[in-house]
Amino acid sequence: MTGARDRVLEEATASPTVSRAEFEARAPALRVALLNAQFDLRASNESVVLLVAGDDRLGIAELVQLLHEWLDARHLDTCIFDEPTPEERERPRYWRYWHALPARGRMAVFVGAWPIDAVGALVSGQLDDIGFEAALLEMLEFERTLANEGTRIIKFWVHTPPAERARRLEQVRRDPRHDWRVEPSDWDLHEIHARAEPHVERLLLQSSTPWAPWHVLDGRDDRTRDLALAEHLVADLGAARAAPPAQSVPPLSPNPGRLPAVDLGRVLKSNDYERRLDDLHGQIAELSRRARLAGQSTVLVFEGWDAAGKGGSIRRITQALSVRDYRVMPVSAPDEAERAHHWLWRFWRALPRAGTVLILDRSWYGRVLVERVEGYIDQPTWQRAYGEIRGFEAALIERGYVLLKFWLHIDPAEQFARFKARENTPYKKYKIGAEDYRNRARWDDYAVAAEEMFARTSTASAPWHLVGMNDKRAGRIEIIETVCAALARRLDDVAPSA
Amino acid sequence: MTGARDRVLEEATASPTVSRAEFEARAPALRVALLNAQFDLRASNESVVLLVAGDDRLGIAELVQLLHEWLDARHLDTCIFDEPTPEERERPRYWRYWHALPARGRMAVFVGAWPIDAVGALVSGQLDDIGFEAALLEMLEFERTLANEGTRIIKFWVHTPPAERARRLEQVRRDPRHDWRVEPSDWDLHEIHARAEPHVERLLLQSSTPWAPWHVLDGRDDRTRDLALAEHLVADLGAARAAPPAQSVPPLSPNPGRLPAVDLGRVLKSNDYERRLDDLHGQIAELSRRARLAGQSTVLVFEGWDAAGKGGSIRRITQALSVRDYRVMPVSAPDEAERAHHWLWRFWRALPRAGTVLILDRSWYGRVLVERVEGYIDQPTWQRAYGEIRGFEAALIERGYVLLKFWLHIDPAEQFARFKARENTPYKKYKIGAEDYRNRARWDDYAVAAEEMFARTSTASAPWHLVGMNDKRAGRIEIIETVCAALARRLDDVAPSA
């Protein structure tokens, strides 16, 4: 095993290089095949990420050029991932990659990206060996998540042996006509890559999957490298897309469910409510200012029955916040651009800046609620979603976000009364329609879906809070108390007040 | 005049406030009317920006809440414009507003935004009086540009008289139950607004137009303020959209045109070309590194006849650049999201970060070339585009970008030969189709459009460079020389090399 590990890179540079005559004989047909593959992609439901990384900076730059010359550049996006910007650092690590993902029918070249993040962090000492293993697992999960929704990921590592790299650096430095090709930092990079080599071997072996394979390109010779790239691309794009195998979903142990246990009988008097709300507004205003200064971000998820009081509860929170500290995201059916991407894409993109609050009026949980119950997606797809959601939320928590999830619960009689009240208020009528009554008729199906959701996505760091809302006043107070307590606990940890 | 100036704000707070009974009598009908207006908007070709600013921070926050409660929040975007982020500072001042503009059919609330930028810069001393006048003109031009393409802009200034503001600040500070409503910075803001008042009067008077009116809201009383907002909105949204009057286009003086003067006879030998190209690559690599360090951004526009050699010329530049320092943007027909916005939106969004190069393979000039010649837009629209383009480019230049515009010129015989060569190369066939021959048949129409474009958009700071490309080698060298010279000149100014 260790023996094999040493040789992925070595083997890639062991074959003879390609002659000019051979290159010129083979290139034209490959170029036509590439254009055809790109053309077919445009009419398909798939997207393609071509990841280009390696130890040969100039080789990578030349490959990016080649891809733009050999493919139709109008349908090719290019994203260079250098050091994260301040904006990017405020979000989970994969945020910038989600942001840049191509829409269905399109192809994008990613330069550097997540493999370089992981190797770079290990070589610089930010990650130890265990941390690197964890980064590899995160990488595999990310690629699997994309592949499940139709993204092909094809990864290239451009390898030039260290001795050859050093020789070239010396040569171009001595030749004044070409010395502009060397950047001052190239010698440092050369050293770093030499040290990184064993870790790169590990990366290439452990993160090559049928749906996101690695290909090592021989950087010693331009023509050999270019032909190999084109041949791999034509072969991979021409083959049927490899989908990750379904992961088994453990059966749920029988349980009475959490909804019946929610207390719907509490009542809070108007005076008590006003006094308590005022007090909590003071707390949350103060906490949100501390959060702003500490760069502490918060995500609040509101789910629950129609007319359970999501909007009103959200407004009772935002009333106490400064407009620049929060954003409310109402979630309904995805628009065209959103449908052209992975279903989690719109939620990744919305993640808040440091120090601010994102409040979701409905959320990614629609995947396992309305989309499941209404049959918009098939069973394997919504079953897969539990894991996708856990992965997404784990990324938020790892980045240090406070994440709170509320299910606002009422009983069917209360819902019926609220529907009627809406119908009788001219400016609330628009909130109620035939669809709401249809959903209501499927109450039991939604309850089953909600119970499975609680069971599969309540984690220690992101539990579900079920709140009885038959009495809106009692429910709102409970919600704001929960938010204040969680935020205070976190801020006392990360930024104790004076 | 001076008398009137003093009174815009005063008059807004001179009427009696609204009683609770009156509010409750009038609010329901207004809410229904607002929802209906929003519903009608969704099916229309228009978009709406509701700008909310003022001297009453809490009042503004409450209005944002109100808008989200009274309108359908699912179809309402909210953008808070605070201090510009580092990313925003690297772009022209209006970049962040362009970025945030709502699509057709949608409505957005902008808080703060460009009026606050201008007043803030004046009060803080960043702008003098003349600079403030210039900022007002820029504001008017921006709003006119949006209005011309179907954006309604409705602006609200929430005004609470200084004495009343001071009284409230004192009161909430003394009342421990409400003191969370005051932020430490509110007293500073209060002072700043007191000093800003005469300038605000000027702003309100000079930047209120039929297509982007200001309404001053009485901040002394919540109900009065809320009703006034709703009434203005219902009235403005219900009225026919006011379009800015067409600006007169001065006739062009007769001239022989610039195309006939382009030298198409030059020839550069292969050896000379290779040597010169290599030398220029060294220069441009060095210059781009200096630009990266100096934060100097560059925008290169490539226009010209089909098959004139845009792609090849661009590649001869990017070959010498590091992948992270440039981006090539191929411009073809706008996609759905782009069509739902102002035609300049996609170009504004693409503006490069500090220190990088954006290269456009075709550009915003399509508006006055293909869109004009093919009749996609009517004559007043393309005539208006010259001014819109000059305004856009002026913003780039004001921000310090180097902007170079190239027209790649060949003659019809050379074009025909290149079309035939493309047809005979399997991997270039996709670049040529019936459309290219149709365009070719309209050569004279395109020449007329190009000449008018040169005449109307060549400015001292952004002239057109016409390059003869019958000999590609000579043309490419001329282009890269022009880029190097311009960049060197600029860098010697802003960041002299050691």
Side-chain angles (χ1 to χ4, degrees):
Chain A
M1 191 60 197
T2 322
R5 281 204 176 181
D6 293 351
R7 285 195 220 111
V8 186
L9 294 175
E10 205 180 304
E11 276 171 13
T13 51
S15 313
T17 56
V18 169
S19 71
R20 173 181 291 270
E22 191 182 345
F23 179 85
E24 279 169 8
R26 283 160 63 193
L30 282 169
R31 294 181 67 165
V32 171
L34 278 177
L35 287 165
N36 287 340
Q38 193 185 16
F39 187 84
D40 292 343
L41 171 69
R42 283 170 59 196
S44 81
N45 215 14
E46 299 179 0
S47 61
V48 175
V49 172
L50 306 179
L51 192 150
V52 183
D55 49 45
D56 179 346
R57 189 182 62 82
L58 281 171
I60 292 168
E62 285 164 12
L63 283 181
V64 172
Q65 292 268 346
L66 183 86
L67 287 166
H68 282 81
E69 193 173 349
W70 284 21
L71 289 160
D72 183 347
R74 287 170 304 172
H75 303 289
L76 187 64
D77 308 322
T78 309
C79 307
I80 314 298
F81 296 101
D82 208 341
E83 286 295 297
T85 65
E87 274 231 286
E88 290 166 354
R89 281 184 206 283
E90 297 179 3
R91 282 23 181 257
R93 203 174 302 123
Y94 279 75
W95 181 74
R96 58 180 183 160
Y97 306 122
W98 277 93
H99 237 278
L101 288 174
R104 297 183 203 284
R106 290 192 67 89
M107 196 182 274
V109 181
F110 280 16
V111 177
W114 56 94
I116 293 297
D117 290 349
V119 173
L122 180 63
V123 173
S124 70
Q126 281 170 59
L127 283 185
D128 60 11
D129 218 57
I130 294 169
F132 185 64
E133 287 294 326
L136 287 176
L137 288 178
E138 194 182 4
M139 200 179 294
L140 286 170
E141 189 183 328
F142 173 63
E143 294 175 352
R144 167 191 288 272
T145 298
L146 298 189
N148 271 324
E149 289 281 309
T151 302
R152 288 172 188 257
I153 303 171
I154 307 175
K155 299 177 289 192
F156 296 96
W157 188 271
V158 190
H159 174 58
T160 300
E164 169 66 11
R165 284 206 309 271
R167 195 190 61 73
R168 282 192 203 165
L169 285 174
E170 260 320 321
Q171 186 189 20
V172 291
R173 199 162 59 167
R174 282 189 195 151
D175 174 358
R177 272 191 57 218
H178 287 105
D179 76 343
W180 57 269
R181 289 185 177 268
V182 178
E183 296 221 13
S185 57
D186 281 350
W187 279 99
D188 295 339
L189 267 181
H190 171 62
E191 293 298 323
I192 291 168
H193 279 298
R195 275 189 289 139
E197 210 158 276
H199 312 305
V200 169
E201 299 266 4
R202 190 139 62 112
L203 168 83
L204 299 177
L205 282 163
Q206 293 187 19
S207 65
S208 201
T209 55
W211 49 90
W214 275 110
H215 302 293
V216 182
L217 301 178
D218 183 350
R220 291 172 306 159
D221 175 74
D222 296 359
R223 286 188 293 263
T224 310
R225 179 197 66 201
D226 293 353
L227 270 195
L229 173 92
E231 278 171 346
H232 283 302
L233 267 186
V234 168
D236 286 1
L237 293 174
R241 193 168 63 83
Q247 288 176 306
S248 70
V249 182
L252 291 177
S253 49
N255 69 74
R258 292 181 59 185
L259 290 174
V262 176
D263 181 0
L264 291 175
R266 297 171 312 175
V267 174
L268 192 61
K269 277 192 216 135
S270 175
N271 274 353
D272 295 342
Y273 168 71
E274 294 296 345
R275 199 171 317 112
R276 187 75 189 115
L277 185 64
D278 209 61
D279 178 45
L280 286 168
H281 275 168
Q283 286 185 38
I284 204 167
E286 168 67 20
L287 288 165
S288 75
R289 272 172 233 157
R290 281 176 63 195
R292 187 201 303 158
L293 294 173
Q296 173 64 53
S297 306
T298 302
V299 174
L300 306 179
V301 171
F302 285 84
E303 290 284 354
W305 303 105
D306 289 334
K310 292 186 290 298
S313 300
I314 290 170
R315 275 196 299 277
R316 294 316 178 287
I317 294 172
T318 57
Q319 273 166 2
L321 302 178
S322 170
V323 282
R324 62 180 154 149
D325 290 339
Y326 76 90
R327 187 184 151 221
V328 178
M329 178 181 182
V331 175
S332 46
D335 66 25
E336 204 198 48
E338 290 162 352
R339 280 195 306 275
H341 284 89
H342 192 285
W343 71 274
L344 278 170
W345 180 74
R346 57 173 167 161
F347 303 111
W348 269 98
R349 284 164 55 94
L351 292 180
R353 296 210 61 156
T356 67
V357 186
L358 173 68
I359 304 179
L360 291 121
D361 186 346
R362 303 204 182 279
S363 69
W364 45 90
Y365 283 102
R367 190 72 166 176
V368 293
L369 294 169
V370 59
E371 292 189 51
R372 164 189 175 167
V373 173
E374 303 298 335
Y376 299 156
I377 51 178
D378 61 15
Q379 180 163 353
T381 304
W382 59 256
Q383 283 187 331
R384 196 170 65 221
Y386 298 115
E388 291 168 333
I389 288 171
R390 283 192 303 264
F392 173 53
E393 295 185 353
L396 306 197
I397 286 157
E398 207 244 39
R399 182 63 196 80
Y401 285 29
V402 167
L403 169 62
L404 294 171
K405 307 184 293 198
F406 295 101
W407 176 270
L408 275 51
H409 189 48
I410 51 176
D411 59 36
E414 177 65 24
Q415 188 188 50
F416 189 75
R418 292 187 188 176
F419 279 8
K420 289 297 160 198
R422 282 186 175 179
E423 282 168 2
N424 292 326
T425 309
Y427 54 82
K428 286 191 174 165
K429 251 190 206 159
Y430 81 97
K431 287 190 177 183
I432 184 93
E435 195 188 324
D436 297 286
Y437 284 97
R438 274 198 303 276
N439 292 347
R440 185 175 152 70
R442 311 198 62 169
W443 186 282
D444 293 343
D445 296 332
Y446 275 99
V448 167
E451 292 289 3
E452 182 162 0
M453 173 182 84
F454 302 142
R456 296 203 186 276
T457 63
S458 263
T459 59
S461 42
W464 273 101
H465 299 274
L466 278 63
V467 182
M469 292 290 291
N470 268 21
D471 182 74
K472 285 185 182 178
R473 290 193 284 254
R476 288 172 185 165
I477 294 296
E478 183 182 336
I479 290 167
I480 309 182
E481 281 175 346
T482 308
V483 173
C484 285
L487 202 49
R489 216 162 35 234
R490 173 63 59 85
L491 287 169
D492 287 345
D493 282 353
V494 300
S497 50
Chain B
M1 190 61 198
T2 322
R5 281 202 176 182
D6 293 350
R7 285 196 221 111
V8 186
L9 294 175
E10 206 180 303
E11 276 171 14
T13 51
S15 313
T17 57
V18 169
S19 71
R20 173 182 291 270
E22 191 182 344
F23 179 84
E24 279 168 9
R26 282 160 64 193
L30 283 169
R31 294 181 68 165
V32 172
L34 278 177
L35 287 164
N36 287 340
Q38 193 185 14
F39 187 84
D40 292 344
L41 171 69
R42 285 169 59 196
S44 81
N45 215 14
E46 299 179 359
S47 60
V48 175
V49 172
L50 306 180
L51 192 149
V52 183
D55 49 45
D56 179 346
R57 188 182 63 81
L58 281 171
I60 293 168
E62 285 164 12
L63 283 181
V64 171
Q65 292 268 347
L66 184 86
L67 287 165
H68 283 81
E69 193 173 349
W70 285 21
L71 290 160
D72 183 348
R74 287 170 303 173
H75 303 290
L76 187 64
D77 308 321
T78 309
C79 306
I80 314 298
F81 296 101
D82 208 342
E83 286 295 297
T85 65
E87 274 231 286
E88 289 166 354
R89 281 184 206 283
E90 296 179 3
R91 280 32 178 252
R93 204 174 300 123
Y94 279 74
W95 182 73
R96 57 179 182 161
Y97 307 122
W98 277 93
H99 237 277
L101 288 174
R104 296 184 204 285
R106 290 192 67 89
M107 196 182 275
V109 181
F110 280 17
V111 177
W114 55 94
I116 293 296
D117 290 349
V119 174
L122 180 62
V123 173
S124 71
Q126 281 170 59
L127 282 185
D128 60 11
D129 218 58
I130 294 169
F132 185 64
E133 287 294 327
L136 287 175
L137 288 177
E138 194 182 4
M139 200 179 295
L140 286 170
E141 189 183 328
F142 173 63
E143 294 175 351
R144 167 191 289 272
T145 298
L146 298 189
N148 271 324
E149 289 282 309
T151 302
R152 287 173 189 256
I153 303 171
I154 307 175
K155 299 177 289 192
F156 296 96
W157 188 270
V158 190
H159 174 58
T160 300
E164 169 67 11
R165 284 206 309 270
R167 195 190 61 73
R168 282 192 203 166
L169 285 174
E170 260 321 320
Q171 186 189 18
V172 291
R173 199 161 60 167
R174 283 189 194 152
D175 174 358
R177 272 191 56 218
H178 286 104
D179 76 343
W180 57 269
R181 288 184 177 269
V182 178
E183 297 221 14
S185 56
D186 280 350
W187 279 99
D188 295 340
L189 268 180
H190 171 62
E191 292 298 322
I192 291 168
H193 279 298
R195 274 189 290 138
E197 210 157 277
H199 312 305
V200 169
E201 299 265 4
R202 190 142 61 114
L203 168 84
L204 299 177
L205 282 164
Q206 292 187 19
S207 65
S208 201
T209 55
W211 49 90
W214 274 110
H215 302 293
V216 182
L217 301 178
D218 183 351
R220 291 172 305 159
D221 175 74
D222 296 359
R223 287 188 292 263
T224 310
R225 177 197 67 201
D226 293 353
L227 270 196
L229 173 93
E231 278 171 346
H232 282 303
L233 267 186
V234 168
D236 286 1
L237 293 174
R241 193 168 64 83
Q247 289 175 305
S248 70
V249 183
L252 291 177
S253 49
N255 68 74
R258 293 181 58 184
L259 290 174
V262 177
D263 181 358
L264 291 175
R266 297 171 312 174
V267 175
L268 192 60
K269 276 191 217 136
S270 175
N271 274 354
D272 295 342
Y273 169 71
E274 294 296 345
R275 199 172 317 113
R276 187 74 189 116
L277 186 64
D278 209 61
D279 178 45
L280 286 168
H281 275 168
Q283 286 185 38
I284 204 167
E286 168 68 19
L287 288 165
S288 74
R289 271 172 234 157
R290 281 175 63 196
R292 187 201 302 157
L293 294 173
Q296 173 64 54
S297 307
T298 302
V299 174
L300 306 179
V301 171
F302 285 84
E303 290 284 355
W305 302 105
D306 289 334
K310 292 186 290 298
S313 300
I314 290 170
R315 275 196 300 277
R316 294 316 178 287
I317 294 172
T318 57
Q319 274 166 2
L321 302 179
S322 170
V323 282
R324 62 181 153 147
D325 290 339
Y326 75 90
R327 186 183 151 222
V328 178
M329 178 181 182
V331 175
S332 46
D335 66 25
E336 204 200 42
E338 291 162 352
R339 280 195 306 274
H341 285 88
H342 192 284
W343 71 274
L344 278 170
W345 179 75
R346 58 174 167 160
F347 303 111
W348 268 98
R349 283 163 57 94
L351 292 179
R353 296 210 60 157
T356 67
V357 186
L358 173 68
I359 305 179
L360 291 120
D361 186 346
R362 303 205 182 279
S363 69
W364 45 89
Y365 283 102
R367 191 72 167 176
V368 293
L369 294 169
V370 59
E371 293 189 51
R372 164 188 176 169
V373 173
E374 303 298 334
Y376 300 155
I377 51 177
D378 62 14
Q379 180 162 353
T381 304
W382 60 256
Q383 284 188 329
R384 195 171 65 221
Y386 298 115
E388 292 169 333
I389 289 171
R390 283 191 304 263
F392 173 52
E393 295 185 352
L396 307 197
I397 286 157
E398 206 244 39
R399 183 62 197 80
Y401 284 30
V402 166
L403 170 62
L404 295 171
K405 307 183 295 197
F406 295 101
W407 176 270
L408 275 51
H409 189 50
I410 50 176
D411 59 37
E414 178 65 24
Q415 188 188 49
F416 189 75
R418 292 187 188 177
F419 279 7
K420 289 297 159 196
R422 283 186 174 179
E423 282 168 3
N424 292 327
T425 309
Y427 55 81
K428 286 190 174 166
K429 250 189 206 160
Y430 81 97
K431 287 190 177 184
I432 184 95
E435 195 188 325
D436 297 286
Y437 284 98
R438 273 198 303 276
N439 292 347
R440 186 174 152 72
R442 310 198 61 169
W443 185 283
D444 293 343
D445 296 332
Y446 276 99
V448 167
E451 293 289 4
E452 181 162 0
M453 173 183 83
F454 302 142
R456 297 203 186 276
T457 63
S458 263
T459 59
S461 42
W464 273 100
H465 299 275
L466 278 63
V467 182
M469 292 291 291
N470 269 22
D471 181 73
K472 285 185 182 177
R473 291 193 284 253
R476 288 171 186 166
I477 294 296
E478 183 182 337
I479 289 167
I480 309 183
E481 281 174 346
T482 308
V483 173
C484 285
L487 201 49
R489 216 163 34 235
R490 173 64 60 85
L491 287 169
D492 287 344
D493 281 352
V494 300
S497 50

